[in-house]
Amino acid sequence: MKSGFLGDLVVLTLRDPAAALRILRSFELPMSVRWMALVLSVVLSTLLASLSLMLFPVEVQTAVSAVLAQPVTLALVQFVAMVVSALMMAQVGRLFGGQGNFADALLIVAWVELLLVGLQGLQLVLMMLVPATASMLSIIAFGLFLYLAVAMTKALHGFASTGKVVLGLVGSLFVLGFVLSLLAAAFGIVPEV
């Protein structure tokens, strides 16, 4: 692997997600490495979130935010959310005629999360230097996440229509939200009013 390759892959991911996915697939990484990449992204994200909370303490306002303020719980929630995201990316796409599989969806989720961890680190530095720009970077990170989720899902399954992928993503989020709200209600977890 050449020096600067990782930076080139990041730039390619932003410019042409389908080409970046072809390169990621060409590595033919075993499942164990894909899982390790996912765990690495979760650990780095949790470390940065914990460091951010130590540097900039926030008053805990709800029971959910109190639980997520615990690093181990936050890491578990992130890990489960990413695995569910990869499962949904693979399965919902296949329901609509896509050709992708869970292994590649897991690779995509891990790679996108690693990119977002880089932005999370930059945001932490900006919070210390220029606090006003940190919230703007959060908006950019969210937009980047949506762009990459749609573009990489489209590339994973070989879909031609970006609009249909967006509709599938939004519909999947609504269904997942509904199922999670039913599960939360079944366990007695209700939003605080």
Side-chain angles (χ1 to χ4, degrees), residues 77-127:
V77 168
Q78 283 185 321
F79 181 79
V80 169
M82 286 185 214
V83 171
V84 169
S85 297
L87 276 169
M88 289 192 66
M89 181 185 288
Q91 296 305 318
V92 173
R94 290 183 72 78
L95 282 174
F96 290 97
Q99 305 302 313
N101 58 37
F102 176 72
D104 287 342
L106 188 67
L107 181 63
I108 288 170
V109 169
W111 176 243
V112 169
E113 182 61 21
L114 285 169
L115 294 178
L116 293 176
V117 164
L119 276 177
Q120 190 179 358
L122 179 61
Q123 183 180 18
L124 185 59
V125 170
L126 285 176
M127 284 171 68

Side-chain angles (χ1 to χ4, degrees), residues 13-181:
T13 302
L14 299 176
R15 286 188 179 165
D16 187 357
L21 180 58
R22 283 192 297 276
I23 290 173
L24 288 170
R25 281 176 164 165
S26 74
F27 295 144
E28 297 180 6
L29 299 172
M31 278 303 286
S32 60
V33 174
R34 294 170 194 232
W35 282 109
M36 283 191 286
L38 186 70
V39 169
L40 175 65
S41 68
V42 168
V43 168
L44 292 174
S45 177
T46 302
L47 286 173
L48 287 172
S50 298
L51 181 60
S52 177
L53 280 175
M54 286 188 328
L55 292 172
F56 307 100
V58 177
E59 187 178 318
V60 175
Q61 298 183 359
T62 65
V64 173
S65 59
V67 169
L68 293 179
Q70 302 301 317
V72 173
T73 307
L74 177 61
L76 275 172
V77 168
Q78 283 185 321
F79 181 79
V80 169
M82 286 185 214
V83 171
V84 169
S85 297
L87 276 169
M88 289 192 66
M89 181 185 288
Q91 296 305 318
V92 173
R94 290 183 72 78
L95 282 174
F96 290 97
Q99 305 302 313
N101 58 37
F102 176 72
D104 287 342
L106 188 67
L107 181 63
I108 288 170
V109 169
W111 176 243
V112 169
E113 182 61 21
L114 285 169
L115 294 178
L116 293 176
V117 164
L119 276 177
Q120 190 179 358
L122 179 61
Q123 183 180 18
L124 185 59
V125 170
L126 285 176
M127 284 171 68
M128 292 185 283
L129 300 176
V130 190
T133 61
S135 58
M136 182 179 68
L137 194 58
S138 293
I139 295 169
I140 292 170
F142 183 69
L144 179 65
F145 164 74
L146 290 178
Y147 163 70
L148 290 176
V150 169
M152 292 291 229
T153 301
K154 182 179 168 186
L156 172 68
H157 290 291
F159 292 137
S161 171
T162 301
K164 288 181 182 177
V165 173
V166 169
L167 285 175
L169 182 67
V170 170
S172 298
L173 289 175
F174 276 119
V175 169
L176 182 61
F178 179 72
V179 169
L180 289 177
S181 67

